[in-house]
Amino acid sequence: MANLKDVHGYVDSHADDFIQRLSEAVAIPSVSTDPSRRGDVHRMALWLENQLKRYGVQTRAVPLGQQEVEGKILEYPPAILGRIGDDSKKKTILIYGHFDVQPAEKSDGWDTEPFELHVDRESGKMFGRGSTDDKGPVLGWLNVLEAHHALRIELPVNLRFCFEGLEEDGSQGLDDLIVTETSKGPQGWFHGVDCVCISDNYWLNTRTPCLTYGLRGIAYYQIIVSGPGSDLHSGMGGAVYEPMTTLISLMGKLVSVEGRILIPGVYDGISVADSSELYVPFISPSQTEAYLSHSGGPISLSDDKATVLMGRTREPSLSLHGIEGAYSGAGGKTVIPATVSGKFSLRLVPPQTPDDITKKVVSFIEDEFAKLKTKLKMKVEFVGGGKPWVADTNHWSYEAAKRATETVWGKTPNYTREGGSIPVTLTFADNLGVNVLLLPMGRADDGAHSTNEKLDISNFLNGTKLLGTYLYEVANINSDK
């Protein structure tokens, strides 16, 4: 692969240029959940589309709809679709990523300004919101395109791109876009795609690259309890049923302090892990510790590495997130809130689905509420969710990624599942009917969504090489194409 050697050399010689481009991307505060930043997300979409065009990519900005916020109609940022190459003799790879980010303020506890990329050459780390989630990986693909364009080397595969600006806000409109384009057949943007590659996750630890073949799903709920016509003085305590007391009682029945879900039937049908669970043998106790280090304290539920890893990746979980309607300010306030809502979610694994779990959740809470025999009102609302996903690691795409990882990093990758959710993964798999690979760039300690989010320089540059090498390995592997 003589061309690949030249591409790697280009990455090394243009490292500073690539870091500068990441700095430009981080400087655009494309926070999708903040309506006041909506213009910045649109600006980021235009910036990315222009970057793609520089390297010969045919692009299309697809509107995804509108939303009403405080009486104003706001346009959702468009999805940026791209395509380059139409050689029927080559495989076609669809690349997904997102260009929006989580909110961040210096006052949150950042050591540097979150929307100014801080490059610490001594530690080899780059700090900034979006550096690892997901602007760094998206720019990794731009780096690959630039190298081939500048060296006048033909790409070894056909590429299709789907970049969105609403991933952190529920990917509004993206599923409909994928379904619509797929239904167009040969005229659709995704026609002829052989597999999907996503770089929106992280290594299992800080030392060993991984390939991710599974994600947990999610089902999010709120319990709303109400009674009084308005908030009451706590002097009424002892004379009335209190919504907060009932809510706390109900939420306390959902999960044990050891993390065991207490809703009957939740664990039905879940298979026991066997030798096909590939990643546990590769993980040492010290790696497990590193894997959990971002929790900020020695709070793991078990000292057994397999139990910890399985609990995080292939077993369901239930987490309590918060209570709305209760006083949470500084100091005391002696009030009995009239209406409160408790928010919680379950992380799902096969064969669980949001629809099936919702029936069990609602039935259980309604039964428990009836046992309390209060005069209050209660309802359970399903807020949203997504199914879990597991891919076939015997697919040629995973073999290509394994070979690429060994070439670039000199290590055999771990095969892992992730505890979080990327709902679009399953949308692509179901609608396109192709294998989906998660090929991460960042490390477990990058702190995505947290203060001082970072990406190691070595991961940015070697990650770029990894993405490029993967394309060459795909081209070299025999398949049914």
Side-chain angles (χ1 to χ4, degrees):
M1 292 186 279
N3 288 343
L4 182 59
K5 182 179 180 181
D6 292 337
V7 170
H8 284 191
Y10 187 92
V11 173
D12 289 333
S13 62
H14 290 76
D16 289 343
D17 295 334
F18 292 162
I19 292 172
Q20 176 57 35
R21 176 157 54 200
L22 180 59
S23 179
E24 294 175 15
V26 168
I28 302 175
S30 50
V31 180
S32 56
T33 58
D34 183 351
S36 69
R37 291 278 177 84
R38 184 56 52 83
D40 291 316
V41 189
H42 282 271
R43 184 158 59 97
M44 185 69 208
L46 179 61
W47 182 91
L48 180 57
E49 183 178 22
N50 288 335
Q51 292 284 323
L52 290 166
K53 288 179 177 179
R54 288 172 60 180
Y55 308 121
V57 178
Q58 177 188 348
T59 65
R60 176 181 157 208
V62 183
L64 294 177
Q66 301 174 326
Q67 69 178 141
E68 183 175 348
V69 179
E70 297 179 350
K72 296 181 179 179
I73 300 299
L74 297 180
E75 295 286 338
Y76 284 131
I80 304 299
L81 302 183
R83 62 187 303 147
I84 183 169
D86 285 295
D87 189 337
S88 61
K89 297 179 182 179
K90 295 179 179 180
K91 296 183 180 69
T92 299
I93 312 300
L94 171 61
I95 307 302
Y96 165 84
H98 66 91
F99 50 85
D100 62 320
V101 298
Q102 284 280 319
E105 300 289 345
K106 179 75 180 304
S107 59
D108 295 336
W110 284 73
D111 295 331
T112 58
E113 290 294 336
F115 294 106
E116 296 177 9
L117 188 69
H118 176 71
V119 182
D120 187 334
R121 297 284 182 178
E122 184 175 348
S123 68
K125 303 179 189 302
M126 301 181 293
F127 297 90
R129 176 59 88 219
S131 56
T132 192
D133 182 23
D134 186 35
K135 291 181 178 181
V138 168
L139 266 60
W141 290 110
L142 289 180
N143 299 341
V144 171
L145 290 171
E146 178 183 321
H148 284 80
H149 186 266
L151 296 170
R152 298 186 178 182
I153 297 174
E154 187 175 314
L155 288 164
V157 300
N158 306 314
L159 289 177
R160 303 292 180 263
F161 298 98
C162 180
F163 295 131
E164 67 157 323
L166 287 168
E167 194 273 346
E168 304 291 5
D169 194 28
S171 294
Q172 310 294 336
L174 186 63
D175 282 0
D176 290 341
L177 169 62
I178 295 170
V179 171
T180 298
E181 287 299 322
T182 304
S183 68
K184 293 178 181 178
Q187 284 71 47
W189 204 269
F190 306 135
H191 178 69
V193 165
D194 293 297
C195 69
V196 179
C197 182
I198 298 174
S199 293
D200 188 20
N201 65 310
Y202 317 95
W203 295 358
L204 195 64
N205 54 54
T206 60
R207 294 177 293 279
T208 310
C210 71
L211 308 179
T212 302
Y213 68 96
L215 295 166
R216 294 196 291 186
I218 188 171
Y220 198 103
Y221 305 92
Q222 61 178 355
I223 306 171
I224 304 171
V225 182
S226 60
S230 61
D231 290 353
L232 303 176
H233 189 285
S234 64
M236 290 291 292
V240 297
Y241 287 106
E242 299 188 19
M244 177 74 89
T245 304
T246 296
L247 177 63
I248 295 298
S249 177
L250 292 174
M251 295 185 75
K253 297 177 185 297
L254 297 173
V255 62
S256 74
V257 293
E258 295 83 14
R260 181 73 182 177
I261 303 172
L262 303 178
I263 301 169
V266 164
Y267 292 94
D268 291 353
I270 298 174
S271 63
V272 177
D274 57 26
S275 59
S276 66
E277 301 296 340
L278 305 178
Y279 55 94
V280 171
F282 294 107
I283 309 303
S284 68
S286 62
Q287 288 175 313
T288 305
E289 182 180 350
Y291 177 60
L292 291 169
S293 62
H294 66 278
S295 65
I299 57 173
S300 62
L301 288 171
S302 173
D303 293 329
D304 177 68
K305 65 173 183 176
T307 300
V308 170
L309 291 169
M310 292 299 181
R312 166 71 196 276
T313 61
R314 78 174 311 281
E315 295 292 333
S317 64
L318 190 153
S319 299
L320 307 178
H321 301 304
I323 295 177
E324 184 177 349
Y327 178 67
S328 60
K333 184 178 181 181
T334 55
V335 65
I336 298 173
T339 300
V340 287
S341 62
K343 303 174 187 297
F344 68 97
S345 71
L346 284 86
R347 291 289 174 173
L348 311 179
V349 300
Q352 295 172 322
T353 66
D355 287 345
D356 179 56
I357 290 298
T358 296
K359 295 174 185 176
K360 296 172 180 177
V361 166
V362 173
S363 176
F364 174 72
I365 295 175
E366 288 180 344
D367 287 347
E368 292 300 316
F369 177 70
K371 293 176 185 178
L372 297 176
K373 298 181 179 180
T374 76
K375 296 179 181 179
L376 302 172
K377 296 178 181 179
M378 188 280 300
K379 64 178 178 178
V380 185
E381 292 184 350
F382 172 67
V383 178
K387 296 179 181 178
W389 160 81
V390 177
D392 177 11
T393 58
N394 294 315
H395 192 273
W396 49 259
S397 179
Y398 277 82
E399 178 60 26
K402 174 178 175 290
R403 295 181 188 180
T405 301
E406 291 172 340
T407 296
V408 173
W409 288 105
K411 297 180 179 180
T412 298
N414 291 332
Y415 288 74
T416 74
R417 293 193 196 185
E418 277 286 349
S421 305
I422 307 177
V424 73
T425 305
L426 192 64
T427 305
F428 280 130
D430 286 350
N431 285 275
L432 276 61
V434 299
N435 185 273
V436 180
L437 161 75
L438 265 63
L439 183 59
M441 174 181 282
R443 303 177 184 232
D445 64 347
D446 280 355
H449 292 205
S450 299
T451 56
N452 298 317
E453 177 185 345
K454 64 86 178 171
L455 177 64
D456 290 68
I457 296 173
S458 60
N459 281 66
F460 184 47
L461 300 179
N462 281 337
T464 293
K465 294 178 183 178
L466 174 65
L467 300 180
T469 305
Y470 163 72
L471 301 182
Y472 280 84
E473 292 292 355
V474 164
N476 289 333
I477 286 180
N478 292 326
S479 71
D480 295 331
K481 170 68 177 171

